[in-house]
């Protein structure tokens, strides 16, 4: 079985991710309250080893991974692909060309 | 700037926001109970719909919260490419390819023939050793755990999978519901491996480990030739995000809708 962080570390990690995205009002967010609630509920067990707990731990780990990776992906994506479509003049300029001018405009332009 | 671009008509119609994105059109996100114990997502006063036009419904609260959070964390533009839980739910709800459970299982098991961890190189020796060290244990785990024979191969055609193995896996996958299967197939296609997907879904390995094992050769080459952030890291994070979403989706879809509670004995 893969070694996982403790519930406390995972909970903190997830809440930290939520805070990073949501900002100062993160405690009001839907996810924050649900996550906190779930971790509290899952503490209720008398047994040391519990299959359901192991599964919940794995799921929490996966959720933390989802939040972290999504954030990291978006950050890099924005950096490298974020410009979206550039207009044609910019595009031409990137490869050192200029758009041709047509006095009187093209036929279909107003 | 965005206004100018949108106003242009004719051949050069384009806008600054790529088709993958859209302006955020709501303030508040909430979930609410719908019919039959399902959960709905509210964007301000409007109910979220699937791309197919159906009312969006999640079978339990966990999934609903995960989806709602994706919408809640969007900023000025909606980045659909990052909303994996939503995408998975939409796929399960719309079933755009009109497939039955059996067809999904067949498609999923097809990946076993070219399973990443069964497909071995013959050189260089360091990569061979890495593959053996990292992949053999997982292979052993699934063969023992499911009582099947898979094996690995350096043959260009890959290993020959015995019919008995296919039957065992087919039967196992048949026990999953439609939603879980949707997620499971997704994980398999992302990791390019049935074996790794099973190991992850059965919670034998973590998402990060599954992704690393899936990208073993890539990581090996990066170790040799260096990392290119805008290509390698983007791929890595995206694969992690998608795989994590898939694993979570299966986990939440497999749970019974009633909350499992342990009674506290005082």
């Amino acid at each position: 079985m893969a070694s996982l962080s403790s519930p406390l570390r995972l909970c903190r990690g997830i809440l930290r991710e939520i805070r990073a995205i949501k900002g100062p009002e993160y405690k009001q967010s839907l996810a924050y309250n649900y996550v906190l609630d779930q971790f509290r509920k899952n503490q209720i067990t008398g047994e040391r080893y519990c299959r359901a707990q192991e599964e919940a731990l794995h799921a929490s780990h996966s959720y933390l991974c989802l939040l972290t990776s999504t954030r990291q992906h978006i950050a890099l994506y924005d950096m490298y692909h974020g410009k979206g479509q550039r207009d044609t003049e910019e595009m031409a300029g990137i490869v050192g060309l200029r758009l041709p001018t047509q006095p009187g405009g093209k036929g279909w332009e107003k | 700037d965005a206004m100018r671009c949108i106003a242009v008509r004719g051949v050069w119609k384009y806008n600054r926001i790529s088709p993958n994105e859209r302006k955020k059109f709501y303030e508040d996100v909430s979930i609410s109970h719908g019919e039959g114990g399902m959960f709905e997502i509210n964007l301000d006063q409007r109910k979220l719909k699937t791309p197919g036009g159906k009312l969006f419904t999640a079978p339990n609260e966990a999934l609903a919260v995960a989806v709602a959070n994706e919408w809640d964390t969007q900023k000025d533009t909606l980045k659909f490419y990052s909303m994996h839980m939503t995408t998975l739910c939409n796929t399960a709800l719309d079933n755009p390819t009109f497939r039955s459970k059996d067809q999904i299982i067949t498609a999923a098991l097809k990946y076993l023939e070219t399973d990443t961890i069964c497909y071995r190189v013959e050189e260089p020796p360091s990569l061979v050793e890495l593959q053996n060290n990292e992949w053999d244990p997982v292979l052993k785990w699934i063969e023992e755990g499911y009582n099947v024979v898979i094996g690995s191969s350096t043959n260009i055609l890959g290993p020959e999978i015995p019919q008995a193995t296919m039957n065992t896996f087919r039967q196992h996958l048949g026990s999953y519901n439609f939603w879980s299967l949707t997620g499971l197939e997704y994980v398999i296609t992302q990791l390019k491996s049935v074996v790794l997907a099973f190991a992850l879904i059965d919670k034998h390995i973590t998402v990060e480990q599954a992704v690393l094992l899936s990208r073993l050769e890539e990581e090996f080459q990066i170790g040799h030739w260096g990392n290119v952030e805008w290509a390698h890291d983007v791929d890595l994070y995206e694969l992690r995000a998608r795989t994590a979403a898939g694993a979570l989706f299966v986990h939440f879809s497999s749970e019974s809708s009633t909350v499992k509670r342990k009674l506290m004995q005082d």
Side-chain angles (χ1 to χ4, degrees), chain A residues 1-4 21-22 29-31 34 41 44-45 47 50 55-56 58-59 61-63 65-67 69-70 72-74 76-81 83-88 90 106 108, chain B residues 4 11-12 14-16 20 29-31 61-62 65 68-69 72-73 75 79 81-82 85 200 203-209 229-230 233-234 237-238 240-241 244-245 248 251 261-262 264:
Chain A
M1 183 76 175
S3 62
L4 298 166
I21 310 171
K22 290 294 288 178
S29 78
L30 200 135
Y34 181 79
K41 279 185 184 154
I44 306 170
T45 175
E47 291 168 31
C50 165
E55 296 194 347
H58 189 276
H61 193 103
S62 300
Y63 192 52
C65 182
L66 173 62
L67 293 178
S69 312
T70 304
Q72 290 167 324
H73 178 231
I74 291 175
L76 280 185
Y77 189 94
D78 280 350
M79 207 190 322
Y80 293 111
H81 302 275
K83 287 248 168 97
Q85 285 195 34
R86 299 180 175 87
D87 70 342
T88 43
E90 244 181 277
K106 295 160 191 162
W108 61 85
Chain B
R4 175 178 74 90
V11 178
W12 300 113
Y14 55 81
N15 53 46
R16 287 254 168 210
N20 247 344
V29 180
S30 63
I31 63 175
E61 194 180 2
V65 171
N69 188 56
D72 196 30
T73 52
K75 305 254 157 67
K79 297 172 197 280
Y81 63 85
S82 71
M85 299 302 290
L200 175 59
K203 301 181 168 70
H204 176 65
I205 57 177
T206 64
V207 173
E208 290 92 336
Q209 287 166 334
E229 191 185 53
W230 55 262
D233 284 356
V234 174
Y237 296 138
E238 184 179 38
R240 271 192 193 157
L248 263 174
H251 172 78
R261 277 184 209 273
K262 279 210 159 261
M264 189 155 83

Side-chain angles (χ1 to χ4, degrees), chain B:
Chain B
D1 217 16
M3 291 302 285
R4 175 178 74 90
C5 297
I6 289 163
V8 174
R9 297 262 180 264
V11 178
W12 300 113
K13 189 172 89 166
Y14 55 81
N15 53 46
R16 287 254 168 210
I17 302 168
S18 80
N20 247 344
E21 306 182 352
R22 198 193 140 170
K23 268 198 129 126
K24 188 176 175 185
F25 54 88
Y26 55 90
E27 283 284 324
D28 298 307
V29 180
S30 63
I31 63 175
S32 52
H33 287 266
E35 282 183 31
M38 305 290 271
F39 287 79
E40 296 162 0
I41 315 285
N42 307 303
L43 308 174
D44 288 334
Q45 306 309 320
R46 280 168 286 200
K47 297 219 177 278
L48 179 63
K49 298 232 169 70
T50 68
K54 293 170 76 167
L55 177 67
F56 183 101
T57 52
N60 56 59
E61 194 180 2
L63 266 174
V65 171
V67 170
N69 188 56
E70 287 184 342
W71 290 85
D72 196 30
T73 52
Q74 299 300 313
K75 305 254 157 67
D76 313 305
T77 55
L78 307 177
K79 297 172 197 280
F80 296 121
Y81 63 85
S82 71
M83 298 163 75
H84 306 297
M85 299 302 290
T86 304
T87 304
L88 281 163
C89 287
N90 283 336
T91 305
L93 287 165
D94 283 346
N95 190 13
T97 54
F98 305 106
R99 290 184 300 170
S100 66
K101 261 179 67 168
D102 257 341
Q103 287 169 318
I104 296 180
I105 292 171
T106 302
L109 289 181
K110 197 110 180 69
Y111 275 85
L112 194 52
E113 294 164 19
T114 52
D115 203 300
T116 296
I117 75 159
C118 300
Y119 225 85
R120 305 295 173 93
V121 298
E122 284 185 299
E123 47 162 24
S126 45
L127 181 53
V128 172
E129 193 185 336
L130 188 65
Q131 289 186 341
N132 292 344
N133 288 343
E134 299 299 323
W135 288 348
D136 281 348
V138 192
L139 202 48
K140 185 168 179 241
W141 169 84
I142 199 172
E143 284 181 331
E144 284 175 4
Y146 284 85
N147 196 23
V148 292
V149 170
I150 302 177
S152 61
S153 170
T154 53
N155 189 329
I156 196 166
L157 294 172
E160 232 186 278
I161 314 288
Q163 190 58 42
T165 301
M166 294 300 257
N167 293 344
T168 302
F169 285 143
R170 177 168 286 276
Q171 193 177 29
H172 177 72
L173 289 180
S175 69
Y176 283 86
N177 61 43
F178 183 80
W179 277 59
S180 301
L181 268 180
T182 301
L184 189 40
E185 196 209 4
Y186 184 73
V187 175
I188 291 173
T189 55
Q190 292 306 309
L191 294 173
K192 309 272 187 295
S193 166
V194 171
V195 179
L196 289 178
F198 269 60
L200 175 59
I201 298 304
D202 287 357
K203 301 181 168 70
H204 176 65
I205 57 177
T206 64
V207 173
E208 290 92 336
Q209 287 166 334
V211 168
L212 176 61
L213 290 171
S214 175
R215 285 167 43 96
L216 199 65
E217 182 163 356
E218 203 150 345
E219 292 297 324
F220 177 81
Q221 302 297 358
I222 288 170
H224 261 246
W225 303 108
N227 192 40
V228 180
E229 191 185 53
W230 55 262
H232 294 136
D233 284 356
V234 174
D235 286 350
L236 173 66
Y237 296 138
E238 184 179 38
L239 184 57
R240 271 192 193 157
R242 288 176 170 201
T243 304
L248 263 174
F249 188 82
V250 176
H251 172 78
F252 289 143
S253 301
S254 310
E255 280 182 340
S256 63
S257 54
T258 55
V259 176
K260 293 172 196 162
R261 277 184 209 273
K262 279 210 159 261
L263 292 170
M264 189 155 83
Q265 311 277 330
D266 259 348

Side-chain angles (χ1 to χ4, degrees), chain A residues 2-26:
Chain A
S3 62
L4 298 166
S5 309
S6 71
L8 185 62
R9 284 191 73 187
L10 286 176
C11 185
R12 280 205 184 131
I14 292 172
L15 297 183
R16 218 176 283 136
E17 282 293 330
I18 295 174
R19 183 176 173 179
I21 310 171
K22 290 294 288 178
E25 304 135 14
Y26 72 105

